[in-house]
Amino acid sequence: MTTENQSDIPETGPGGEGPLHGVLAEYETPGELIEAAKAVRDAGYTKWDCHSPFPVHGLDPAMGIRPTVLPLLVFAAGIAGLGGSILLVWWMNAHNWPWIVAGMPAFSLPANIPILFESTILLAGITAFFGVWALNRLPKLWNPLFKSDRFLKATDNGFFISIEAADPQFERDKAETLLKDAGATAVEAIHLDPDPTRWQIPRPILAFIVITAILGLVPFAFIAKARVTHGDQPRIHVFPDMDFQVKADTQQRLVIDDSPVFRDGQVTRPPVEGTVPRGQLRQDDHFYRGLEGDEWATTFPAQLDIDTSTMDRGHEQYNVYCAPCHGEDGLGGGPIHERALEIQSPEWLMPTSIHDQNVTRQPHGQLYNTISHGIRTMPGYRAQIDEEDRWAIVLYLRALQRSQKALPDDVPPEERAQIR
Amino acid sequence: MSSASEAKHPAQEFNQITETVADVIERPKPPKAWYVAFGIALAMLGLLAVSVYHLLTTGVGVWGNNNAIAWAWPITNFVFWVGIGHAGTLISAILFLMRQSWRTSINRSAEAMTIFAVMCAGLFPILHTGRPWMAYWMIPHPNEMLMWPQFRSPLMWDVFAVTTYATVSMLFWYLGMVPDLATVRDRAKSKVRQIVYGILALGWNGSARQWHRYERGYLLLAALATPLVLSVHSVVSFDFAVSKIPGWHTTIFPPYFVAGAIFSGFAMVLTLMVPARWLFGLKDIIKESHIDVMCKITLATGLMVGFSYGAEIFIAWYSGNLFEQYAFLNRAVGPMAWGFWIMVTCNVLLPNLFWFKKFRTNPFLIVGVCLFVNVGMWFERFVIIMTSLSRPWIPAAWADFTPTFWDAATLIGSFGLFFTLFLLFIRFAPMVAMAEYKATLPAAHAGHQKG
């Protein structure tokens, strides 16, 4: 390091002449730095700074540095962490998917305090850290002052003041005299580089970084694609987890080590002989089979409410299951029948009209039985329609039959006028 | 380096600190002992890699865990390492807030130790899940299973506490290191060092305006880390205390665990720093008085731990609860009594040697006692976990525990990870907070004029 005499301040910066960045003065002790800082502040400069290897106490007021907003940021982040985590915990454990554990309330403050506390600290801590750098405008790896060899001491044992040329009242001579008079051991002019591109990241390196960054996204693109599309290849099992294990599918024969697991080889076990699953006893002959004693039931079973809603239900079920053959009017000319005529199906037999005397005379139970088990060429519908709905259809059939033989008295008085 | 003059110039004093500390990472070669230690650490790290590979490809069955003692060694190791990881932030944060300036000589390395210990700690519960690649399930995130974490579970609290602690400790450590990294950058001769340390130093230039915010930020982080460090081991203790297992379900656990953590953490700091200061010629920086204070803290926390052991036993008797009484009787005279007595000897009896000045000044004696404390603190967790889990409520479910080779290999391996990282840290990062240290010198204060 060259020691400069105060008088011969170099007119040219090292490595060629560039525009003037500012002047840099060195002081020996923290105490002198503080005194000099006061002088610079009193002179009214605004774009200037002190540099020291450690925080010098008493320098902040000397320079007139106003307190930073950092604590406020950190406080706000802490509140956000607290509020955010309360929402998170409540939403996840009490609202979106209420977790019921040992009869405890889905959300209660005490049980969540650790989570809330840690989240508060986490957010506040992260903000404190990044806040320091954001407010300090760092990282900024290059600084014109770094060109000065003397300035290397700023992180070791040197104390510096720099005044920037950008300061509105900057005049080089005046600034230098001020700094010298304040006790500087050395004053130096800092020039910017004549060629500013020298400090830019070289293009190939930049290109490399950009290309790697883009290539780095490729795997993610594939993952994203895999999540929304189907493929004919089995998935890759990095970790087999429990994807492959001995297990039996229904109606499969399970054989381990050459011997069947069950003697009959079947996997599905039949129920123990003579047992009836819960709710499947079906003892009620009237309801389940349409019988009263040995005769077809002539009344509706007690389980059925004879009202409009049952009637509507019957209507709806009739239109779904019966109308395709019997037609909505029940005369037997439904769309299937029409189609059969169209293709001149030889096997087709026209569905019986439900207004046929033979049918209208049948007791409720017999109709119910026809729906359940079918009749001659008509298939049964017990597998598709449950008991209650079958009865509802019977009820509707009765209404339908009556509609074809209705007498004027059947029409409600207020609508009778419409009959012609 | 020092021209033993009568009154040193402040600039010289500051420079001397830079020289001493930077020398550790700038000397062309570290001492032989470093290589030996690093070799051993690497070998142990290799053992960890092998054990983890074996574990992952085979399953947790390679460990001695069984139905009753499901936690076994992995969780013992976890609690042990988290405990070690407490001294760092305590020294950095709490002692900082208490303006204990002696902490500046050791805070950096203690923080590094904390971070590495927490890494080792994190390893065990993650491996203990059996399918570590699913560990991310513990972090709340939208997923196709429509599954959220159970936030009222102490195990979930643990996840939050330990990750927060690891994150904040890491930020705190790095924040404190930036000015020193700038020092190393400015002294760097080779291009590689200039670039690497240059990037790590973020362009720090010692600006007073930046120092102002920096100091604020540091203070805030310290203030945040203080309750955090106390919360972490409290939360770890909730894993036990919130359950209803005899020997675990006690309210003394949080303070008792925190005291134990500080105790073991200080013992580990001493185990590392006493040899390091001798090896790297840091005797002028990490002074004997600093070691002395740390020994005293170890003694004090050791006494607290001893008191907690006593209180636990007293409460077991005083509660009149048969199961609680049995749990403690079983600890002291049951099949694993040897573990209990190792614990008592190492944690309660031996630290009392620190009452004597001789034991606080002789490096061999200090490290000796501290090694015993480390052993004792591992056994404390071992005793708590093993004795209680091996004797559940239903005697039909009682079980004993036999560790396997892989249990031991993973534990030894975790030490490998810890020491490898720590030795690399010593060699490549400024292990003493230079800037802070300088600020504590009398010469740093404005009233002090050049001599």
Side-chain angles (χ1 to χ4, degrees):
Chain A
M1 201 180 293
T2 51
T3 36
E4 253 122 10
N5 198 312
Q6 288 181 26
S7 52
D8 54 39
I9 295 149
E11 287 299 320
T12 53
E17 182 78 332
L20 188 70
H21 168 72
V23 287
L24 180 71
E26 183 181 353
Y27 297 87
E28 280 215 298
T29 64
E32 287 165 9
L33 180 70
I34 291 177
E35 290 312 314
K38 280 181 193 154
V40 176
R41 184 198 62 190
D42 292 344
Y45 287 99
T46 50
K47 296 204 163 179
W48 65 289
D49 210 339
C50 296
H51 304 267
S52 56
F54 52 83
V56 174
H57 288 221
L59 192 57
D60 292 359
M63 287 176 70
I65 295 179
R66 263 174 286 135
T68 162
V69 297
L70 189 64
L72 282 179
L73 292 182
V74 173
F75 180 74
I79 296 293
L82 179 64
S85 57
I86 290 178
L87 267 181
L88 179 100
V89 164
W90 166 81
W91 190 80
M92 288 183 179
N93 275 187
H95 183 74
N96 183 257
W97 189 271
W99 269 92
I100 298 162
V101 186
M104 291 185 285
F107 182 83
S108 67
L109 218 45
N112 287 307
I113 282 176
I115 301 278
L116 309 186
F117 172 79
E118 303 296 341
S119 309
T120 310
I121 298 277
L122 183 66
L123 226 68
I126 289 178
T127 310
F129 178 82
F130 288 101
V132 168
W133 302 124
L135 294 173
N136 278 345
R137 306 252 185 285
L138 291 179
K140 177 170 162 266
L141 300 189
W142 170 242
N143 186 321
L145 297 175
F146 289 162
K147 270 176 57 186
S148 157
D149 278 343
R150 181 177 286 114
F151 193 67
L152 291 178
K153 283 191 336 198
T155 55
D156 176 14
N157 59 358
F159 302 86
F160 296 89
I161 291 183
S162 64
I163 303 181
E164 282 182 38
D167 191 289
Q169 66 170 69
F170 182 83
E171 268 171 57
R172 182 169 166 183
D173 296 336
K174 267 197 191 164
E176 280 171 358
T177 337
L178 174 71
L179 292 170
K180 257 184 273 176
D181 290 348
T185 50
V187 179
E188 178 181 347
I190 304 288
H191 290 268
L192 291 174
D193 246 294
D195 172 19
T197 57
R198 218 183 104 193
W199 298 103
Q200 281 168 2
I201 304 173
R203 280 189 169 238
I205 294 185
L206 212 60
F208 176 77
I209 293 173
V210 170
I211 291 172
T212 338
I214 292 172
L215 286 184
L217 292 176
V218 171
F220 292 104
F222 273 105
I223 292 171
K225 178 176 167 264
R227 288 188 76 95
V228 294
T229 53
H230 298 279
D232 46 7
Q233 295 294 311
R235 65 173 261 228
I236 305 165
H237 295 264
V238 184
F239 298 105
D241 290 330
M242 293 189 194
D243 297 347
F244 306 101
Q245 43 184 314
V246 191
K247 68 159 198 272
D249 291 330
T250 30
Q251 301 181 1
Q252 211 183 29
R253 218 179 119 83
L254 181 66
V255 177
I256 298 174
D257 294 340
D258 290 336
S259 59
V261 174
F262 294 108
R263 207 172 290 165
D264 61 359
Q266 254 183 309
V267 179
T268 327
R269 305 315 300 149
V272 177
E273 229 170 287
T275 54
V276 177
R278 225 166 231 273
Q280 292 191 19
L281 189 54
R282 295 161 185 276
Q283 251 180 332
D284 184 350
D285 267 348
H286 190 176
F287 184 63
Y288 289 105
R289 284 169 279 278
L291 290 170
E292 273 170 330
D294 289 340
E295 301 287 311
W296 293 124
T298 50
T299 55
F300 284 99
Q303 284 91 330
L304 201 72
D305 295 325
I306 314 285
D307 57 15
T308 346
S309 82
T310 315
M311 185 63 84
D312 290 344
R313 177 74 184 159
H315 185 181
E316 182 200 321
Q317 293 286 301
Y318 176 86
N319 283 352
V320 172
Y321 290 106
C322 319
C325 290
H326 286 275
E328 291 196 9
D329 51 9
L331 290 168
I336 292 185
H337 174 67
E338 276 170 22
R339 172 77 179 147
L341 294 184
E342 210 176 291
I343 60 168
Q344 300 181 341
S345 164
E347 298 101 48
W348 184 249
L349 186 79
M350 183 169 180
T352 317
S353 163
I354 57 134
H355 305 292
D356 194 304
Q357 273 216 348
N358 187 26
V359 179
T360 47
R361 277 204 214 111
Q362 288 176 5
H364 302 330
Q366 196 179 353
L367 287 177
Y368 175 85
N369 188 62
T370 305
I371 302 174
S372 304
H373 299 287
I375 188 157
R376 297 181 297 272
T377 48
M378 173 186 151
Y381 285 87
R382 68 184 176 289
Q384 290 93 328
I385 315 172
D386 69 21
E387 288 81 8
E388 215 161 321
D389 282 350
R390 273 178 252 160
W391 280 113
I393 294 176
V394 174
L395 183 66
Y396 177 67
L397 279 183
R398 286 303 178 217
L400 200 58
Q401 286 169 342
R402 187 146 162 212
S403 72
Q404 293 299 312
K405 306 189 173 70
L407 299 170
D409 284 351
D410 292 334
V411 182
E414 61 274 17
E415 282 167 29
R416 252 172 237 169
Q418 294 176 19
I419 306 174
R420 265 172 269 161
Chain B
M1 57 191 110
S2 69
S3 52
S5 58
E6 322 74 61
K8 252 183 275 165
H9 191 280
Q12 255 175 313
E13 266 186 74
F14 297 137
N15 177 255
Q16 194 175 336
I17 290 165
T18 317
E19 294 289 344
T20 318
V21 175
D23 173 62
V24 179
I25 48 181
E26 282 170 359
R27 60 170 80 172
K29 271 188 178 173
K32 278 221 178 57
W34 186 90
Y35 284 107
V36 175
F38 193 62
I40 298 173
L42 271 188
M44 283 154 66
L45 182 61
L47 186 62
L48 179 70
V50 174
S51 342
V52 170
Y53 177 80
H54 181 60
L55 175 83
L56 294 190
T57 49
T58 315
V60 270
V62 304
W63 285 336
N65 308 27
N66 56 41
N67 262 351
I69 310 177
W71 284 9
W73 272 35
I75 304 303
T76 304
N77 297 342
F78 162 68
V79 182
F80 169 74
W81 276 120
V82 174
I84 299 283
H86 269 64
T89 310
L90 181 100
I91 291 173
S92 313
I94 300 187
L95 298 185
F96 177 76
L97 295 182
M98 292 174 160
R99 310 215 176 278
Q100 296 289 313
S101 56
W102 59 270
R103 66 155 216 136
T104 47
S105 65
I106 46 149
N107 74 327
R108 174 72 41 74
S109 40
E111 282 165 37
M113 186 199 80
T114 285
I115 292 162
F116 305 148
V118 172
M119 284 180 182
C120 293
L123 199 66
F124 286 100
I126 290 178
L127 291 179
H128 188 251
T129 58
R131 281 190 266 164
W133 48 93
M134 305 277 191
Y136 70 93
W137 284 9
M138 290 182 283
I139 296 156
H141 65 286
N143 58 70
E144 60 271 36
M145 297 171 287
L146 299 176
M147 189 182 69
W148 302 120
Q150 213 282 72
F151 290 108
R152 282 159 294 165
S153 156
L155 301 182
M156 232 11 248
W157 303 348
D158 236 14
V159 173
F160 271 69
V162 175
T163 43
T164 302
Y165 186 55
T167 314
V168 172
S169 304
M170 213 109 76
L171 298 179
F172 197 44
W173 182 57
Y174 183 61
L175 184 72
M177 201 150 57
V178 167
D180 292 346
L181 288 168
T183 307
V184 181
R185 168 199 68 196
D186 288 349
R187 294 167 57 88
K189 300 278 180 293
S190 79
K191 197 101 209 151
V192 178
R193 284 178 90 94
Q194 276 171 354
I195 292 176
V196 173
Y197 287 111
I199 291 173
L200 289 177
L202 305 176
W204 182 259
N205 57 48
S207 143
R209 297 174 201 282
Q210 294 182 353
W211 270 124
H212 169 72
R213 299 185 192 104
Y214 174 91
E215 281 203 287
R216 261 300 133 120
Y218 196 81
L219 183 72
L220 284 167
L221 265 182
L224 290 168
T226 299
L228 177 64
V229 70
L230 298 180
S231 83
V232 176
H233 228 53
S234 302
V235 166
V236 170
S237 81
F238 289 157
D239 292 348
F240 300 86
V242 173
S243 76
K244 285 182 195 148
I245 292 174
W248 289 7
H249 189 60
T250 65
T251 46
I252 200 179
F253 259 38
Y256 156 34
F257 266 49
V258 170
I262 297 167
F263 178 52
S264 66
F266 267 91
M268 189 57 109
V269 173
L270 282 168
T271 318
L272 296 175
M273 294 323 289
V274 170
R277 91 188 249 271
W278 161 74
L279 215 59
F280 292 102
L282 294 174
K283 285 185 184 156
D284 292 340
I285 292 198
I286 307 173
K287 302 210 171 91
E288 242 167 39
S289 58
H290 301 166
I291 304 278
D292 189 65
V293 176
M294 284 195 279
C295 287
K296 284 177 183 159
I297 294 184
T298 313
L299 173 61
T301 45
L303 292 176
M304 291 183 205
V305 169
F307 172 78
S308 306
Y309 294 165
E312 262 189 323
I313 293 170
F314 170 77
I315 293 295
W317 166 75
Y318 189 68
S319 69
N321 181 323
L322 203 66
F323 296 95
E324 198 73 12
Q325 288 169 354
Y326 173 75
F328 283 90
L329 202 65
N330 183 45
R331 276 186 197 178
V333 297
M336 276 186 250
W338 49 274
F340 178 81
W341 293 109
I342 292 180
M343 163 183 114
V344 170
T345 316
C346 296
N347 296 348
V348 184
L349 303 180
L350 285 177
N352 281 299
L353 292 173
F354 281 148
W355 286 109
F356 306 103
K357 185 143 185 93
K358 189 168 166 37
F359 281 88
R360 301 197 305 267
T361 43
N362 181 324
F364 292 99
L365 294 179
I366 295 173
V367 174
V369 171
C370 288
L371 282 176
F372 275 112
V373 169
N374 288 328
V375 171
M377 284 311 290
W378 189 86
F379 270 97
E380 178 193 300
R381 282 63 179 249
F382 178 83
V383 165
I384 293 174
I385 290 176
M386 299 298 166
T387 56
S388 283
L389 284 184
S390 65
R391 294 291 177 267
W393 299 96
I394 306 172
W398 287 9
D400 289 323
F401 178 79
T402 340
T404 65
F405 168 77
W406 297 107
D407 272 315
T410 325
L411 174 59
I412 295 171
S414 68
F415 274 95
L417 175 65
F418 178 75
F419 284 120
T420 308
L421 291 170
F422 194 77
L423 288 164
L424 287 176
F425 156 75
I426 290 188
R427 180 67 184 138
F428 292 107
M431 71 183 279
V432 173
M434 294 183 267
E436 259 186 69
Y437 201 99
K438 289 172 196 166
T440 61
L441 295 182
H445 298 285
H448 188 96
Q449 284 308 313
K450 53 180 158 176

